[in-house]
Amino acid sequence: MLFRSLELQKSARLTSMLTEDIAVVAHAMQGFPIFIINLAVIVACGLYLAWQSGVLFSVFLGFGVLGVLAYSAITTRALHHVERARDQQDQLFFALDGLVNGVKELKLNPYRGRHFLARELTGAAGGYRDANVAGLTRYAVAGNLGRLLFFIAIAIQMLVSERLGRQDALSAYILVSLFLASPLDAVLTWLPAFSRAEVALKKINSCGISLDQSREKAVAVPSTTTAYHTLELQQVAHSHSTGSPE
């Protein structure tokens, strides 16, 4: 049930999910149409280049495959850092929740207050910062490597076309390749956002909360006009578990 799932979650985790995860998923959904349109433009331009010259297109395709493999190898490690940053964000929200709820106790015990600020709060904030910087740095390296391979492919196409004597196709290749720079940049820009959205969706699903759970069958209450003054319950028991999510 929806309310039961909400009850089992800690307030800090729910706050982190509502303030960060949902915003990340919404941001990725805004970029999804842009990503699909630019991807379709890249495929269409690739088909045109293949129609112009199969040899030059093979060079372009070879560097494209090399770029995809290099990008995947780097972003696999980057995704790990993004997931670690999301876990550290939970720890940071737990520390902030403890700071707000236990501020009186921390004021009464200066030693515990300094320990909390130095170890719990500062440690969680530093871990979140380091994981974010490591993940975004790897995404930046992967994106710039893809752009570098793109321009190397153009240079090699110029050399190959000169050897083959295909100067007529060279101008079309250069123009189309330069036109592809903008769609390729858009695709590489949105890929990190989709990776963060994937991590956010995993976190949301791990909480066991779904809007479908709110569609519970309503209990039909018989309409009656009979007035009553007392209500007696017989053989009724109620139990409440105090389980925690982790």
Side-chain angles (χ1 to χ4, degrees):
M1 295 175 63
L2 176 62
F3 298 121
R4 179 59 175 165
S5 300
L6 289 173
E7 184 183 17
L8 293 176
Q9 305 303 320
K10 294 182 179 180
S11 60
R13 175 170 294 178
L14 290 175
T15 303
S16 178
M17 182 188 69
L18 293 174
T19 58
E20 179 70 17
D21 293 336
I22 295 178
V24 168
V25 174
H27 176 68
M29 290 298 99
Q30 291 176 357
F32 187 73
I34 302 175
F35 177 83
I36 294 298
I37 291 173
N38 286 279
L39 190 63
V41 170
I42 293 175
V43 173
C45 291
L47 294 176
Y48 174 77
L49 294 178
W51 176 71
Q52 284 288 327
S53 175
V55 177
L56 295 179
F57 178 73
S58 63
V59 175
F60 186 83
L61 183 62
F63 273 89
V65 172
L66 180 61
V68 169
L69 294 177
Y71 189 89
S72 300
I74 298 175
T75 54
T76 299
R77 186 62 180 173
L79 182 61
H80 170 72
H81 287 290
V82 171
E83 292 176 346
R84 188 165 63 89
R86 183 59 186 81
D87 293 335
Q88 289 294 325
Q89 185 183 18
D90 276 345
Q91 298 301 322
L92 178 59
F93 273 86
F94 287 147
L96 292 174
D97 185 66
L99 177 64
V100 173
N101 295 327
V103 63
K104 293 183 179 179
E105 182 181 353
L106 296 176
K107 287 173 62 178
L108 295 174
N109 193 330
Y111 173 77
R112 177 173 293 183
R114 289 192 298 268
H115 176 79
F116 178 83
L117 292 177
R119 297 292 299 274
E120 299 292 335
L121 189 59
T122 306
Y128 176 66
R129 177 201 60 207
D130 295 340
N132 252 330
V133 170
L136 295 179
T137 299
R138 283 167 172 78
Y139 275 118
V141 170
N144 290 324
L145 179 60
R147 297 180 182 93
L148 177 63
L149 291 175
F150 174 75
F151 287 106
I152 291 177
I154 294 178
I156 293 181
Q157 285 174 354
M158 295 176 63
L159 296 176
V160 172
S161 62
E162 184 178 356
R163 293 290 183 88
L164 296 177
R166 293 296 307 274
Q167 298 296 330
D168 54 339
L170 178 61
S171 58
Y173 255 81
I174 298 301
L175 289 176
V176 174
S177 298
L178 292 177
F179 173 78
L180 280 175
S182 179
L184 181 63
D185 184 73
V187 169
L188 294 177
T189 299
W190 280 105
L191 284 177
F194 295 150
S195 298
R196 293 186 62 193
E198 180 184 359
V199 175
L201 282 175
K202 289 181 181 179
K203 277 295 180 179
I204 295 174
N205 292 331
S206 67
C207 293
I209 298 176
S210 174
L211 293 178
D212 292 335
Q213 296 173 345
S214 61
R215 301 172 182 174
E216 301 170 355
K217 294 182 179 179
V219 178
V221 180
S223 59
T224 177
T225 57
T226 303
Y228 61 90
H229 301 284
T230 60
L231 178 65
E232 182 180 354
L233 302 177
Q234 296 181 356
Q235 297 180 354
V236 175
H238 172 72
S239 62
H240 177 73
S241 62
T242 59
S244 58
E246 289 183 359

